[in-house]
Amino acid sequence: MSKVLIIGGGIVGLTSAYYLQKKGYEVTILDKGDITDNCSFGNAGMIVPSHFVPLAAPGMLKQGIRWMFDSKSPFYVRPSLNGNLINWGLKFMKYATAKHVSQSAEPLRDLSLLSKKLYEDLAKEPDFDFELTHNGILAYYKTEKAGEEEAHLAARAIELGLDMAVLSAAECSVLQPDLKLDVLGAVHYRCDAHLYPAKLMNALLKYLTANGVKIERGKEVDKIETAGNRIMKVFTGNEAWDADQYVIATGSWSPAVAKMADIKISLMPGKGYSFMEPEPQNRLTIPALLCEARVAITPMNGQIRYGGTMELDKINTRINMQRVKGIVESVPAYFPDLKPAIPAEKDIWYGFRPSSPDGLPYIGRSNKRENLVIATGHGMMGLSLGPATGLLVSQLIDGAATELELKPFVVAR
């Protein structure tokens, strides 16, 4: 039986293991933590075919510069002489064009739709109840400018075959009758869905453990031994791990892990925050995006999860309470009856979205190490794109035809 070693126990690592196990591979997962602290647990739980516009879009440069001077803004780049950040920023500027946005739309759409179908298949399996809900997402706006941008997005989405509708404030109220709204309108991303991330991850972990996948927690890779164009062994302290094929799926830590195999990956960690509040009244039944504030709000497990911000910086343990306040203060401006309290630091989750400079994930074989597959760089869509990525990883390992054309996601681009 062929052995596969997966470095990283987030949604991409676990779904890769799921599909590889189904194909008969002997799979081991190494994770530096206990797995429960990664992005796949604390995110907004949204499955988003609607998100076919990459982060590297023309308006983001100007908007990003403006946001840098607001401590509560949803996007921030910490000024630094960090060579990785400078290199990433130069590439981002190169990609932030209308042409790039146009070229990225179909690959991102196809990856998202494949993932959504795989989630639907997974939800039919025994013991895989993770609250998959097909209510779509409502993207609310308060200004004419944001409304025009959303209407343009909706028109392009419809051209791509995605189900979206522009709604007036009154039509929004019909969909959310128990929620007081102070908005001009919204676009209903009917093509989208949502789930409860903790239930999903725990179901995957339970299934993998029961079906022979070895999950090794607290194992941080600190050395990779290579010979010629192959990886021979991976080390975690004094322990050596060998396999026939290797997968790097370590999110924002991927550049550091890949460097041990003499591979460069352009990636920056984008820190995001989230927190939960009880919602016994069940007023919010459809997840919400607050367009101007860039805040995501999702009902899950009898609670509401509030999340947002994108702080590009080195990986760190700081909690910027101003950013969290920015999330809290934006909510009542759209929903006057929803007034989340500023959470205590201990109740704030944060994680790092692995952000590529062109806004597309890296999915493919390394051109330097023939027995290595890299799957990272999903930005804010890791959970959304996880199953599709996992399936594609399993097909690459298997030498089978891949479900999708992988040229847009090639690692050495």
Side-chain angles (χ1 to χ4, degrees), residues 49 52 106 109 113 154-164 191:
F52 56 84
E106 290 188 18
R109 175 202 63 186
L113 290 176
R156 178 68 179 120
I158 291 165
E159 287 175 10
L160 290 165
L162 299 171
D163 188 6
M164 290 205 197
C191 52

Side-chain angles (χ1 to χ4, degrees), residues 119-302:
Y119 270 127
E120 289 164 352
D121 293 344
L122 195 60
K124 294 171 189 167
E125 295 291 316
D127 302 318
F128 270 98
D129 171 23
F130 44 88
E131 299 182 19
L132 181 63
T133 308
H134 292 87
N135 285 346
I137 294 170
L138 282 164
Y140 295 95
Y141 49 83
K142 292 179 65 69
T143 62
E144 294 283 359
K145 182 174 182 291
E148 287 170 14
E149 289 170 356
E150 283 298 307
H152 177 74
L153 177 82
R156 178 68 179 120
I158 291 165
E159 287 175 10
L160 290 165
L162 299 171
D163 188 6
M164 290 205 197
V166 180
L167 306 181
S168 66
E171 288 169 322
C172 294
S173 293
V174 171
L175 289 175
Q176 293 284 240
D178 299 323
L179 200 60
K180 189 176 178 183
L181 303 178
D182 183 4
V183 298
L184 280 182
V187 171
H188 194 186
Y189 301 164
R190 292 171 178 158
C191 52
D192 292 356
H194 74 281
L195 54 79
Y196 184 27
K199 272 193 173 180
L200 169 70
M201 294 294 285
N202 287 327
L204 279 167
L205 288 164
K206 184 180 176 183
Y207 172 89
L208 294 173
T209 303
N211 286 275
V213 173
K214 295 175 188 166
I215 301 173
E216 302 283 350
R217 295 166 170 84
K219 305 290 184 184
E220 183 167 5
V221 173
D222 52 21
K223 182 184 173 186
I224 295 177
E225 182 183 296
T226 61
N229 62 352
R230 293 181 65 82
I231 291 177
M232 305 308 292
K233 287 180 185 174
V234 161
F235 292 85
T236 58
N238 295 323
E239 291 178 281
W241 308 81
D242 63 71
D244 302 297
Q245 304 264 2
Y246 298 81
V247 179
I248 293 177
T250 43
S252 291
W253 285 264
S254 297
V257 176
K259 189 178 180 182
M260 298 176 207
D262 196 27
I263 295 163
K264 287 183 181 176
I265 300 176
S266 185
L267 208 64
M268 283 299 295
K271 186 192 282 184
Y273 299 99
S274 75
F275 61 94
M276 303 277 277
E277 276 210 344
E279 176 55 20
Q281 304 100 311
N282 196 31
R283 290 168 292 183
L284 183 87
T285 56
I286 301 173
L289 293 173
L290 311 184
C291 291
E292 294 89 350
R294 297 290 210 280
V295 165
I297 308 174
T298 313
M300 54 177 74
N301 199 39

Side-chain angles (χ1 to χ4, degrees), residues 293-360:
R294 297 290 210 280
V295 165
I297 308 174
T298 313
M300 54 177 74
N301 199 39
Q303 298 177 288
I304 291 181
R305 174 167 286 167
Y306 298 93
T309 81
M310 176 72 109
E311 263 181 47
L312 291 178
D313 192 6
K314 291 178 181 176
I315 291 172
N316 61 76
T317 58
R318 292 188 301 270
I319 290 179
N320 186 328
M321 288 305 293
Q322 286 297 104
R323 305 262 164 228
V324 178
K325 285 178 185 174
I327 296 171
V328 169
E329 291 169 6
S330 70
V331 176
Y334 295 77
F335 309 134
D337 291 342
L338 282 188
K339 296 173 181 174
I342 294 171
E345 276 202 26
K346 67 179 179 63
D347 297 323
I348 298 168
W349 175 92
Y350 65 87
F352 299 93
R353 291 88 149 230
S355 303
S356 66
D358 64 357
L360 297 175

Side-chain angles (χ1 to χ4, degrees), residues 340-397:
I342 294 171
E345 276 202 26
K346 67 179 179 63
D347 297 323
I348 298 168
W349 175 92
Y350 65 87
F352 299 93
R353 291 88 149 230
S355 303
S356 66
D358 64 357
L360 297 175
Y362 297 109
I363 308 168
R365 281 204 174 273
S366 161
N367 62 356
K368 203 164 192 176
R369 307 291 171 205
E370 66 180 16
N371 60 339
L372 172 65
V373 171
I374 292 170
T376 187
H378 296 76
M380 291 185 280
M381 296 187 289
L383 181 110
S384 185
L385 301 177
T389 304
L391 177 65
L392 292 166
V393 166
S394 74
Q395 291 168 339
L396 285 164
I397 295 281

